[in-house]
Amino acid sequence: MKAAPFAYVRPSRLSDAIAELAETRGGGKVIAGGQSLTPVLAMRLARPDTLIDINSVEELGALTRSGPALHIGATVRQRRVERDPLGASVPLLRLALPWVGHRELRSRGTVCGSLAHADPAAELPAVACCLDAELTLSGPNGHRRVSAREFFHGAMTTALTPDEILTSVRLPVAAAGEGFGFAEIARRHGDFALAGVAVRVRLRAGGPEATMTAFGVSDRPVTRDLSERLAAAVNDGGDGLAGRLKEQLVAVVEEIVDTDGDIHASRDYRRRLLLALAGRELSKAYERARDGAEEVTT
């Protein structure tokens, strides 16, 4: 199939892009990389009156680090973040990006585009939720900042209003005593996940803090504080931390996975996948935090 007819504009200033979007009165769509939107258009699942191409808006192309945060503008490609030395300041993002589609898709797709598309089986929304990233939404009434954990309302549904553009995301850079883990199970590499986890562990004087975001198992990324369960598994001592964590996480996983089964996987199968991934990646993240690993490898 091919897309239904639409008008096309390519403003060079953010204010003009916002004005163009407002003028469509809900009938417009913003495009940057197009790796999520273009298939939707081709299948005619969306029929916008106007496409607002923001690639000429120079201020949206910034990739910068400011103090404790990495700033990623709306037109920054995933592959750029993957290769730029600044991307290494957010190890969880670096761990997740190789799982996003294929290299050719990441060369065109944008980080913010994946967030705005809000596919519940996508990797980057889970990363943003796990790190409690901050998203900037810009519209006719100015800018507002929204936590990633409040941004995703459901499958393909977010806090964006029809006249707003997701203009940037700010992710916290890693600090000493932090470790991360990321993994997913998909039918083939590059496919969306049947189940996946993003994990962050911080070692504190009072005990480890652990956050896990699961994806592919609900209608949005699901984040849980697992600090008590990690502490209990660590205090048990001995080898086999991943196995002890799995015992601690059975009830959590049971509650998180609420999607119905489909032709690819049943609900029970997704629970088994998530339990195995959660135990393994939480264990890895703890060991990385404990050992002070400066570089994270997949």
Side-chain angles (χ1 to χ4, degrees):
M1 295 182 68
K2 62 180 181 181
F6 54 80
Y8 173 84
V9 294
R10 190 180 172 102
S12 57
R13 297 186 303 178
L14 178 58
S15 58
D16 291 340
I18 292 171
E20 292 281 3
L21 185 60
E23 193 171 316
T24 68
R25 300 180 182 277
K29 279 285 186 182
V30 175
I31 189 168
Q35 298 307 292
S36 299
L37 179 58
T38 303
V40 171
L41 297 177
M43 291 185 284
R44 301 201 174 191
L45 297 176
R47 297 175 181 232
D49 300 328
T50 305
L51 279 189
I52 296 96
D53 184 341
I54 58 174
N55 282 293
S56 293
V57 181
E58 188 174 348
E59 65 194 275
L60 300 182
L63 174 64
T64 59
R65 177 176 172 176
S66 176
L70 181 70
H71 172 102
I72 303 175
T75 61
V76 174
R77 277 25 183 183
Q78 296 157 4
R79 185 67 175 152
R80 180 182 169 193
V81 178
E82 197 175 351
R83 301 182 67 180
D84 194 294
L86 284 175
S89 63
V90 184
L92 184 57
L93 190 57
R94 278 289 183 86
L95 283 173
L97 280 168
W99 295 91
V100 180
H102 299 281
R103 182 178 60 188
E104 292 76 10
L105 298 180
R106 298 195 297 275
S107 295
R108 189 65 189 168
T110 64
V111 173
C112 287
S114 178
L115 299 179
H117 188 61
D119 191 305
E123 296 83 1
L124 299 184
V127 170
C129 288
C130 186
L131 296 177
D132 201 15
E134 182 182 82
L135 284 62
T136 299
L137 316 183
S138 303
N141 298 320
H143 308 286
R144 64 185 177 110
R145 293 180 175 177
V146 177
S147 163
R149 295 176 190 174
E150 298 175 351
F151 180 72
F152 301 100
H153 291 177
M156 318 292 184
T157 307
T158 71
L160 273 169
T161 61
D163 58 358
E164 286 182 320
I165 300 172
L166 171 56
T167 47
S168 68
V169 57
R170 289 171 57 87
L171 298 130
V173 302
E178 287 191 307
F180 304 90
F182 186 96
E184 69 179 42
I185 300 292
R187 291 183 303 147
R188 298 163 299 192
H189 179 74
D191 282 5
F192 286 114
L194 298 176
V197 294
V199 174
R200 180 189 198 185
V201 169
R202 290 182 279 187
L203 299 185
R204 304 296 194 202
E209 294 179 358
T211 303
M212 180 186 79
T213 299
F215 60 101
V217 295
S218 186
D219 68 345
R220 73 198 76 180
V222 182
T223 302
R224 292 290 183 268
D225 183 342
L226 301 180
S227 301
E228 292 184 3
R229 288 173 172 80
L230 175 58
V234 170
N235 291 336
D236 281 348
D239 296 330
L241 176 59
R244 297 198 301 280
L245 278 166
K246 286 175 62 177
E247 295 174 3
Q248 292 282 339
L249 297 175
V250 170
V252 177
V253 167
E254 184 83 10
E255 175 259 332
I256 287 177
V257 180
D258 63 3
T259 186
D260 291 331
D262 53 34
I263 61 172
H264 304 303
S266 66
R267 180 183 298 185
D268 286 344
Y269 181 56
R270 282 189 162 91
R271 283 175 172 158
R272 292 199 294 274
L273 294 179
L274 184 62
L275 185 60
L277 293 173
R280 188 185 74 191
E281 294 307 312
L282 194 54
S283 174
K284 280 186 183 179
Y286 172 76
E287 290 167 358
R288 286 165 174 160
R290 182 194 60 192
D291 298 341
E294 294 182 356
E295 294 186 1
V296 179
T297 57
T298 55

